[in-house]
Amino acid sequence: MAIGIEASLASVDPHVAGLVNRAGELQGTTLALIPSVNHSSSAVRQAVGSVLDHSYSEGYPGKRYYQGQEVPDAVERLAIERAKELFGVPHVNVQPLSGSPANMAVYSGLLSGGENRGKIMGLDLPSGGHLTHGAKASLSSRFFDAVPYGTDPEGWIDYDGLEERAQAERPDIIVAGTTAYSRRLDWERFREIADKSRALLMADVSHIAGLIAGGAYPSPVEYVDIMTTTTHKTLRGPRGAMIMVTERGLNKDDLMGEKIDRAVFPGMQGGPHINTIAGIAVALHEAAQPEFKTYAKQVVSNAEVLAAELRELGIQLVTGGTDSHLFLIDLRNNNGITGNTVAEGFERAGIIVNRNAVPHDEAPAYYPSGIRVGTPAITSRGMGEKEMLQIADWMSDMIHGFAGRKDRLGIDRKGERNGSNRREIANVRLVEDVRAGVIDLCEHFPIPDSYIG
Ligand code: DSN
């Protein structure tokens, strides 16, 4: 008999069922403003939670080391074809388990490693780069030589500095990619710099893949050799990743795709998660619909409105604003209040953000001077300009309120450790008022089950 009868999670494991229900309740009654978070459709989640989880499929479609591959081959081929079509690339690998292994697979596939390690050049972490773009704490700088580029004091990428450094350092791969940078990347300029220093150019579009697919952010495909992305951010799929090789990349090295595939399997990973790949295929189908274009444009317009209103209300933003899905609030002129305190205060009010370093931040990474704010998830709920203005009011009131009580808020590490930050924030009346407003707003904008039709 086919598997089809579902034993309820609640009866098998009430503990885990309770945690899942609590997560649903919290997500439903709070605003997810972490830019890398989104609400996938139930169709995506059904694919991920399906019997495809029982597959073992080491290898690639048509050449597996296991039998029983009729469905896994079809699922993986479908995801690959949909990604090729959506992004306009000739080669796609959908197996990386997430963004970090995807980036590491590109480096290990194309650079020699070992003694002659090869060199990567990426945006440094405090300027908005990712760990795997060569940060000190990441294996990307331990297995390979890594040199960073950065931003000017206002937070804009310093392309002249990048060019100069690239000429001097001669990296093998320049990574054009960000996790906390609000402005459009100048793909053409990156290409010129890569050509002058004879480097390959890799775009890590994890944050903006959905915006690119929806036409709300310029695509780097014509300029870069390789493009990596996660699938769960603006693309609104399950947690996973893809590596794409462009025509340009294949023209330079027709084995580039094969080298990267070998680095993913058997280099970095064993069996791919076919259930996740099915979820990616669903997300790619959703992203190819006309509704997704409207969504992507609204994400950017919501971020622009939220940022502009905050600025109007006296909140300082890195680069002064945004033209993507996210921006950074710079708290350095708010009476010494720090990102951790503001993030915790917001959480009590039901506004979920993450603490974040701002460019040239002298504060420690865990007590940084900024917070990062993004609109992909609240836009998925259907919120628009009116709601952005309301959220900006709440955020600004709380930041000014916390800063005004700075002396009693224990904003230092001691306050963080002994809990005095949290206790003081809990006593701010305004936080309770905002919490009530957030619950009301969430009731009017429930998390959708589906985005098509
Ligand atoms: N998950 C990424 C983000 O939050 O931007 C970092 O790895």
Side-chain angles (χ1 to χ4, degrees):
M1 195 179 82
I3 300 177
I5 302 163
E6 288 185 13
S8 141
L9 177 59
S11 65
V12 172
D13 190 337
H15 193 169
V16 169
L19 292 171
V20 173
N21 285 337
R22 177 71 181 142
E25 185 189 327
L26 284 171
Q27 286 177 27
T29 55
T30 59
L31 301 172
L33 284 159
I34 295 172
S36 42
V37 168
N38 211 334
H39 303 298
S40 61
S41 67
S42 65
V44 166
R45 297 196 305 279
Q46 276 172 35
V48 174
S50 71
V51 292
L52 292 172
D53 190 33
H54 306 165
S55 315
Y56 231 112
S57 311
E58 283 185 6
Y60 288 99
K63 192 176 176 206
R64 306 279 194 189
Y65 293 80
Y66 294 71
Q67 297 314 118
Q69 300 303 317
E70 176 192 330
V71 175
D73 275 6
V75 166
E76 189 166 344
R77 284 195 175 110
L78 186 62
I80 289 170
E81 286 314 311
R82 287 180 175 174
K84 282 182 179 175
E85 176 83 19
L86 189 65
F87 291 100
V89 289
H91 183 93
V92 182
N93 187 309
V94 292
Q95 294 196 2
L97 302 180
S98 200
S100 295
N103 287 349
M104 292 300 286
V106 172
Y107 307 150
S108 61
L110 302 183
L111 305 179
S112 48
E115 270 183 29
N116 219 347
R117 293 145 52 105
K119 194 184 276 185
I120 59 172
M121 187 168 185
L123 183 62
D124 68 351
L125 200 57
S127 300
H130 188 252
L131 284 164
T132 55
H133 299 168
K136 263 205 190 89
S138 155
L139 292 182
S140 61
S141 71
R142 286 174 46 198
F143 290 175
F144 308 99
D145 291 331
V147 284
Y149 58 91
T151 58
D152 67 17
E154 280 75 48
W156 296 82
I157 286 180
D158 171 12
Y159 289 99
D160 291 340
L162 160 60
E163 178 168 351
E164 203 174 303
R165 189 127 206 232
Q167 301 260 27
E169 295 281 354
R170 296 278 167 182
D172 297 287
I173 299 179
I174 294 178
V175 182
T178 62
T179 63
Y181 185 74
S182 64
R183 298 301 183 170
R184 283 186 179 179
L185 296 182
D186 185 344
W187 302 122
E188 204 172 343
R189 185 80 205 275
F190 269 110
R191 179 76 259 165
E192 277 167 25
I193 295 170
D195 284 345
K196 277 189 191 163
S197 52
R198 298 208 184 83
L200 291 173
L201 182 59
M202 168 180 134
D204 177 347
V205 298
S206 294
H207 267 263
I208 51 175
L211 305 183
I212 292 168
Y217 192 109
S219 168
V221 163
E222 92 177 78
Y223 299 102
V224 303
D225 304 295
I226 309 120
M227 185 161 93
T228 62
T229 185
T230 51
T231 47
H232 47 275
K233 298 185 173 96
T234 48
L235 197 54
R236 210 162 54 191
R239 299 190 77 97
M242 304 190 286
I243 304 172
M244 300 170 235
V245 181
T246 64
E247 290 288 355
R248 188 188 273 276
L250 288 183
N251 285 341
K252 258 179 212 162
D253 176 359
D254 58 2
L255 294 179
M256 194 178 277
E258 229 171 273
K259 288 176 185 168
I260 289 172
D261 287 351
R262 271 206 305 276
V264 173
F265 171 82
M268 299 261 309
Q269 297 179 184
H273 297 183
I274 296 295
N275 54 323
T276 301
I277 292 173
I280 292 172
V282 176
L284 292 167
H285 173 64
E286 291 177 349
Q289 306 308 312
E291 296 93 319
F292 197 79
K293 285 196 169 31
T294 311
Y295 165 70
K297 290 193 173 83
Q298 190 66 45
V299 168
V300 176
S301 126
N302 279 348
E304 286 169 343
V305 170
L306 184 54
E309 183 66 4
L310 280 166
R311 215 180 132 167
E312 190 71 17
L313 295 166
I315 303 297
Q316 191 178 326
L317 308 179
V318 173
T319 76
T322 181
D323 31 46
S324 67
H325 63 305
L326 68 76
F327 56 88
L328 287 167
I329 293 181
D330 184 343
L331 296 160
R332 283 179 293 195
N333 68 353
N334 284 277
N335 203 16
I337 200 108
T338 51
N340 47 296
T341 298
V342 171
E344 289 192 7
F346 280 15
E347 182 176 12
R348 283 201 161 264
I351 294 177
I352 312 299
V353 295
N354 66 278
R355 64 187 75 188
N356 215 100
V358 292
H360 308 277
D361 204 339
E362 278 168 19
Y366 199 67
Y367 307 95
S369 306
I371 55 173
R372 192 177 62 150
V373 178
T375 52
I378 54 175
T379 308
S380 288
R381 294 173 86 147
M383 293 184 197
E385 181 171 350
K386 182 163 162 250
E387 292 70 41
M388 297 309 116
L389 297 177
Q390 173 63 79
I391 293 167
D393 267 354
W394 285 333
M395 290 169 106
S396 152
D397 285 351
M398 285 192 287
I399 291 171
H400 290 130
F402 300 156
R405 296 166 64 101
K406 179 230 168 188
D407 294 340
R408 287 197 282 140
L409 276 173
I411 56 148
D412 55 11
R413 292 185 203 209
K414 202 167 134 226
E416 171 76 17
R417 284 202 208 98
N418 68 22
S420 66
N421 278 4
R422 276 183 290 277
R423 280 195 297 279
E424 284 297 338
I425 289 166
N427 290 333
V428 177
R429 173 70 206 273
L430 172 64
V431 172
E432 291 311 311
D433 292 345
V434 175
R435 181 75 193 107
V438 167
I439 289 172
D440 186 54
L441 181 61
C442 289
E443 272 170 16
H444 287 90
F445 292 91
I447 296 171
D449 220 33
S450 165
Y451 297 103
I452 296 185

